[in-house]
Amino acid sequence: MTWLPSGSPRNDFQTGLVSGTPFAVGAVAKFFWARHDDRSGERLWHVVGPLARAGVNTIGATSGLVGPYLTGWLLDATGSSQIAMLIVGLLLLLGALLLIFVFKNMAKTPEMKGTTLG
């Protein structure tokens, strides 16, 4: 597990507790998410929310794989890391603007009226 802190678990049981906790919390959250969905009768945002999160996670995982290779290629091609860091900064700015745009448009939909976004 690459996300585990290097010195935290001392034995197999502790490693299991630390690495299993996110999955246990996720299982409980899924139960309450489905329960809320059934009680409210609202389906659209109960599906769109997890799908959007999955899409963001997929993009993040892909960029974690492609980013270092692209940065290395740009460094070799230009001899400077400035262009690579400029691209990273522009992508961060683009992501922030996209997020603002999406939330503003979500707040205009009838389903989101009266929420904290609208």
Coordinates of all heavy atoms in Angstrom, one line a residue, residues 8-16:
S8 N 3.8 3.6 10.3 CA 2.7 3.5 11.2 C 2.3 2.1 11.6 O 2.3 1.8 12.8 CB 1.5 4.3 10.6 OG 1.1 3.7 9.4
P9 N 2.0 1.2 10.7 CA 1.6 -0.2 11.2 C 2.8 -1.0 11.7 O 3.8 -1.0 11.1 CB 1.0 -0.8 10.0 CG 0.9 0.2 8.9 CD 1.8 1.3 9.3
R10 N 2.6 -1.6 12.9 CA 3.7 -2.4 13.5 C 3.5 -3.9 13.2 O 4.5 -4.6 13.3 CB 3.7 -2.1 15.0 CG 3.9 -0.7 15.3 CD 4.3 -0.5 16.7 NE 4.3 0.9 17.1 CZ 5.2 1.8 16.8 NH1 6.2 1.5 16.0 NH2 5.2 3.0 17.2
N11 N 2.3 -4.3 12.9 CA 2.1 -5.8 12.6 C 1.0 -5.9 11.6 O 0.4 -4.9 11.2 CB 1.8 -6.6 13.9 CG 0.6 -6.0 14.6 OD1 -0.4 -5.7 14.0 ND2 0.7 -6.0 15.9
D12 N 0.7 -7.2 11.2 CA -0.3 -7.4 10.2 C -1.7 -6.9 10.6 O -2.5 -6.4 9.8 CB -0.3 -8.9 9.8 CG 0.9 -9.3 9.0 OD1 1.6 -8.4 8.5 OD2 1.2 -10.5 8.9
F13 N -2.0 -7.1 11.8 CA -3.4 -6.7 12.3 C -3.5 -5.2 12.2 O -4.5 -4.7 11.7 CB -3.6 -7.2 13.8 CG -4.9 -6.7 14.3 CD1 -6.1 -7.4 13.9 CD2 -5.0 -5.7 15.2 CE1 -7.3 -7.0 14.4 CE2 -6.2 -5.3 15.8 CZ -7.4 -5.9 15.4
Q14 N -2.5 -4.4 12.6 CA -2.6 -3.0 12.6 C -2.6 -2.5 11.1 O -3.4 -1.6 10.8 CB -1.4 -2.4 13.3 CG -1.5 -2.5 14.8 CD -0.3 -2.0 15.5 OE1 0.8 -1.8 14.9 NE2 -0.4 -1.7 16.8
T15 N -1.9 -3.2 10.3 CA -1.9 -2.8 8.8 C -3.3 -3.1 8.3 O -3.8 -2.3 7.5 CB -0.9 -3.7 8.1 OG1 0.4 -3.5 8.6 CG2 -0.9 -3.4 6.6
G16 N -3.9 -4.2 8.6 CA -5.3 -4.5 8.2 C -6.3 -3.4 8.7 O -7.2 -3.0 7.9

